[in-house]
Each structure stands twice: as C-alpha cells, then as structure tokens.
Amino acid sequence: IENLNREFNNININSEVNREQPLYNNSRNNNLSRNEMYSNQSPLINPNIGALSSQQFNAQPNWNIQNTFTRNAILSSFLSQNTTMIMQNLIIEAPDETIEIIVNELSGTYQNIITNKNGNYFCSDLFKYCNQRQRIKILKELSKTISEDCNDKYATHPIQNLIEYSNCEEEYNLILVSFDYNKSLIACIDPNGSFVIQKIIKHIPERYRNKFNLLFISFITFIVKKRFGVVNAKKFVDYTKNEETLNRMMNFIISDFLNIATHQFGNYFIQHILQKWCNMNMGNKIKKEIII
C-alpha cells in the first residue's frame, strides 16, 4: 500500500483543469466519442467493458470485477484523462456490489485521489453513487483534513459532492469536525474553499451546525470585507433562522458598521441584509446606523 501511495503521489497534479470540459461531464445518457475515449487506453483497462449498457454490464460471465477494479488499476487510470473517463463511465453503469468493491479498494487513498487533477473527477462521480454507509466510511478517512483539502482547486469539487449527498447526523458531524476557527476562516476567504462553506451553510440543517455558526459569526466583520467572504456571509444570512445567532451577528456588524458600509465588498453585505430585513427589527437597526 505504501509503495502504491508513493507511486500515486508522483502523478503530476500541477496542470490546470477546465471544469467546463464536456468530456468529464459524464451521465448515464452520454454516448459521445467512445472511439476517441479509448484511443490512448491503459493496458489495465478493458475498453469493451466501458461500452456496455448496465444490463450487459451485469450479464458478463467472463468479466472479473475483482481484477478490473483493483486499487492498482484504478489509481493507474488517473495517469491520463482518457483512462479516467473510462473509469468514470464504468462506475456510472456499475451495480451496487461493484461500487462496494471500489470503495473498499480505495480505502486509505481518498485524500490523494481528490487532490489529483484526474482522480477528483472520478471521486466526484463515485460519491454520487455511494450509499450512506459508504459515504461515512469515506468521510471518516477524510474528516480530519477536509477543512484544508477544500481549499485545493481539485479537491473542492468531490468534497462539495460529499456534502451535497450527506443526509444524517453522523455525516454532518464528520464534515464539520475539522473546521476550527482558523481553518474555517481560511476556507471562507479562499476561492475554492468558499464554495464548500456555502455548501455547508446551504445543505447541513441549522440544528447540526450550531458550533460552526458561532465560529462563523465571530469573524464575520472580517470576511464581509473579502471578495469571497462576503458571498459566504450573504449565504449565511439566507440560511440561518435562529434569532439568537442572528442577533449576535448583528451586534458584531453594528460594532464595525462604518468600516463595513464604506468598504468595496462590505457595502454589498449591508445592502443585502437591509433588503432582506427591511421591515423587521434587525432592518430597523441597520437603518438607524445609516441615519446616524
């Protein structure tokens, strides 16, 4: 395992990836360019399997799943875009038992994969088809570093999918556990991490993110004056209903109102909360500060 991880870490992860490239945007109805897709295939991958429908996929008597989805075969596929796409198509058509095999085979390598320029696409798809138990297993492996990994230009995408598909308290806790004050603050103002913070605020029910909310409002006067931070702050206002939390937030905002209201980014936050709470008590507090 250590040798495989060392080999995997040597993969070049410095090239830019365009998320809008259609070749990576796989779906169950995607039939494009299979001849091109398999032109530079890895010897570890059988291209004929990738062309099968889900019914044919399940009916192949001579296809050895264990040999196709070994850890070595999967990690090797991330050496190129084409072989990664083949693996993506395989998991899209795969039955539940195959997803289970893949999840188990990749145990111990998920952090390396999500930060890889090709592997992150594979994980983004894999996480969509995992069941709750499988997601929890993956989150247990990633939870300690998820607040740092979310700032990575590749890892941010599969992490957002893990959050999007989470649906129980254990998953929510595993997602939030590594977000301490410093890591939460950094993620809030990072161009990649900010998308993960928005996903947390939008998807995880408020009753499960009380600690996260308290951390968030403690540095809100700082992040509203940052390009990405102000977007997160506006999202926080839209998805937070607890009056005590909002009142605490307002106390921080009013304490630094002039600096925020006259700032190139902060003024957008003031406009947002004024429009949202125009005829409410908190809106009146803002109006009073403006008049003063």
Side-chain angles (χ1 to χ4, degrees):
I1 293 175
E2 290 180 359
N3 289 337
L4 285 173
N5 283 333
R6 279 196 294 271
E7 179 181 343
F8 186 84
N9 284 328
N10 289 329
I11 296 174
N12 177 20
I13 63 171
N14 295 320
S15 302
E16 291 291 335
V17 175
N18 181 356
R19 265 303 197 205
E20 296 180 357
Q21 289 181 353
L23 291 179
Y24 276 79
N25 188 18
N26 292 334
S27 68
R28 292 186 181 275
N29 296 319
N30 182 13
N31 295 315
L32 64 93
S33 306
R34 284 200 178 271
N35 290 332
E36 294 178 12
M37 195 181 299
Y38 303 121
S39 60
N40 296 314
Q41 56 194 277
S42 162
L44 295 171
I45 307 297
N46 180 353
N48 295 322
I49 297 172
L52 296 175
S53 69
S54 57
Q55 290 181 340
Q56 292 171 321
F57 180 85
N58 292 324
Q60 294 300 304
N62 298 320
W63 177 41
N64 191 327
I65 294 177
Q66 283 75 15
N67 289 337
T68 301
F69 290 115
T70 63
R71 178 182 301 200
N72 186 44
I74 299 171
L75 296 184
S76 296
S77 74
F78 304 147
L79 289 168
S80 79
Q81 177 177 310
N82 285 343
T83 51
T84 300
M85 289 159 51
I86 294 171
M87 275 294 181
Q88 285 180 264
N89 278 294
L90 287 175
I91 62 172
I92 288 171
E93 297 291 334
D96 294 341
E97 311 83 71
T98 303
I99 298 297
E100 179 74 12
I101 291 171
I102 295 171
V103 169
N104 291 333
E105 281 290 317
L106 296 180
S107 179
T109 67
Y110 284 107
Q111 187 181 21
N112 287 331
I113 298 174
I114 66 174
T115 55
N116 177 263
K117 69 172 184 177
N118 293 319
N120 80 93
Y121 288 98
F122 174 85
C123 274
S124 290
D125 280 347
L126 175 64
F127 296 164
K128 295 177 184 178
Y129 302 114
C130 287
N131 59 37
Q132 184 181 96
R133 178 181 53 77
Q134 292 161 346
R135 287 195 306 271
I136 288 173
K137 180 176 181 177
I138 294 167
L139 280 168
K140 284 181 177 178
E141 182 175 323
L142 293 174
S143 63
K144 291 182 180 179
T145 59
I146 202 168
S147 61
E148 299 171 271
D149 294 335
C150 73
N151 301 321
D152 182 87
K153 64 181 177 180
Y154 301 125
T156 182
H157 303 288
I159 289 173
Q160 287 178 60
N161 273 358
L162 270 178
I163 297 169
E164 180 69 29
Y165 287 89
S166 63
N167 59 16
C168 73
E169 183 174 2
E170 185 173 5
E171 288 180 273
Y172 302 148
N173 290 337
L174 286 168
I175 291 165
L176 294 172
V177 69
S178 72
F179 282 90
D180 60 20
Y181 180 93
N182 290 331
K183 293 174 183 177
S184 298
L185 174 58
I186 292 170
C188 277
I189 60 177
D190 183 86
N192 299 307
S194 63
F195 287 104
V196 170
I197 296 297
Q198 290 174 53
K199 188 71 71 172
I200 287 172
I201 293 170
K202 183 177 179 180
H203 180 77
I204 297 180
E206 190 175 356
R207 66 183 180 274
Y208 297 114
R209 53 181 172 90
N210 288 330
K211 182 179 178 181
F212 176 87
N213 285 356
L214 291 176
L215 287 174
F216 191 91
I217 62 175
S218 68
F219 50 63
I220 195 163
T221 58
F222 177 79
I223 66 169
V224 294
K225 291 179 281 189
K226 301 296 179 182
R227 182 185 299 274
F228 299 102
V230 68
V231 177
N232 291 319
K234 290 163 69 174
K235 187 72 69 176
F236 182 82
V237 168
D238 291 341
Y239 285 89
T240 302
K241 307 301 179 186
N242 183 280
E243 278 195 34
E244 183 179 353
T245 301
L246 293 175
N247 281 326
R248 287 187 181 186
M249 182 199 74
M250 285 299 298
N251 289 336
F252 283 114
I253 295 298
I254 290 173
S255 69
D256 196 30
F257 183 81
L258 184 60
N259 287 330
I260 296 171
T262 58
H263 191 274
Q264 61 172 327
F265 299 126
N267 81 90
Y268 290 112
F269 181 72
I270 299 300
Q271 292 180 56
H272 183 75
I273 60 178
L274 185 60
Q275 291 172 359
K276 184 175 181 64
W277 297 324
C278 183
N279 298 316
M280 300 169 63
N281 183 46
M282 283 182 284
N284 290 332
K285 289 181 180 180
I286 296 297
K287 292 175 187 178
K288 182 179 178 180
E289 290 299 318
I290 295 172
I291 293 171
I292 294 174

